[in-house]
């Protein structure tokens, strides 16, 4: 019986999260993009409580996918390390030193643990490694 994984692709705004996530996406995966989810819920609150609410929402959506026997990708900044820990595979997009939003730069916590660190845009081999882990 397959074990379905919840993947988080996180990092500063502009680090390439969505581009990477879309390249990783396959037919047996659900994809949750932070901007699309905020739009769906009409929730553009970027205060600390708003960010925590968004993190909980993203985790809940990926948990639902797992129950429906699908892998899932959560593509969002996830600035607080504790909000990343419940994911099965953690991918840090560490391609930039500063994002375009100063408030996010200030609160973004570098991860204590992660499964993959992406430092550039040559990540085809990393995507293959992730696929192998999903088998």
């Amino acid at each position: 019986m397959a074990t379905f994984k919840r993947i988080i692709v996180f990092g500063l705004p502009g680090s390439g999260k969505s581009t990477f996530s879309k390249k990783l996406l396959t037919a047996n995966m659900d994809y949750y993009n932070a901007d699309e989810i905020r739009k769906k819920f009409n929730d553009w609150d970027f205060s600390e409580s708003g960010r925590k609410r968004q993190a909980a929402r993203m985790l809940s959506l990926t948990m639902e996918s797992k129950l429906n026997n699908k892998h899932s990708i959560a593509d969002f900044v996830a600035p607080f390390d504790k909000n990343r820990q419940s994911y099965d595979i953690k991918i840090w997009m560490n391609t930039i030193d500063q994002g375009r939003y100063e408030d996010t730069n200030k609160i973004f916590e570098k991860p204590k643990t992660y499964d993959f660190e992406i430092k550039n845009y040559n990540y085809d081999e990393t995507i293959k490694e992730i696929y192998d882990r999903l088998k």
Side-chain angles (χ1 to χ4, degrees), residues 85-115:
Q85 298 311 309
S86 296
Y87 290 87
D88 302 304
I89 298 175
K90 295 173 254 328
I91 303 167
W92 178 25
M93 298 300 295
N94 187 18
T95 58
I96 58 176
D97 293 324
Q98 297 281 311
R100 61 184 167 268
Y101 304 109
E102 190 55 36
D103 62 329
T104 303
N105 293 335
K106 287 180 182 176
I107 65 168
F108 187 84
E109 298 171 359
K110 289 190 176 181
K112 295 179 179 113
T113 62
Y114 50 84
D115 297 287

Side-chain angles (χ1 to χ4, degrees), residues 52-108:
K52 287 178 181 176
R53 185 172 53 251
Q54 176 73 349
R57 185 180 294 133
M58 297 294 276
L59 181 61
S60 175
L61 289 166
T62 62
M63 291 173 87
E64 187 176 313
S65 292
K66 192 171 186 172
L67 292 173
N68 290 321
N69 299 323
K70 291 188 90 175
H71 297 300
S72 60
I73 301 171
D75 156 17
F76 72 118
V77 172
F80 307 115
D81 198 51
K82 65 182 175 186
N83 296 128
R84 306 172 193 138
Q85 298 311 309
S86 296
Y87 290 87
D88 302 304
I89 298 175
K90 295 173 254 328
I91 303 167
W92 178 25
M93 298 300 295
N94 187 18
T95 58
I96 58 176
D97 293 324
Q98 297 281 311
R100 61 184 167 268
Y101 304 109
E102 190 55 36
D103 62 329
T104 303
N105 293 335
K106 287 180 182 176
I107 65 168
F108 187 84

Side-chain angles (χ1 to χ4, degrees), residues 23-51:
K23 285 190 178 228
L24 181 62
L25 189 63
T26 67
N28 190 36
M29 292 182 183
D30 287 333
Y31 173 58
Y32 303 104
N33 171 275
D35 292 337
E36 293 300 316
I37 298 304
R38 283 187 178 279
K39 184 177 180 181
K40 179 179 178 178
F41 288 89
N42 193 27
D43 185 351
W44 300 97
D45 177 5
F46 289 92
S47 68
E48 185 172 340
S49 64
R51 291 173 190 268

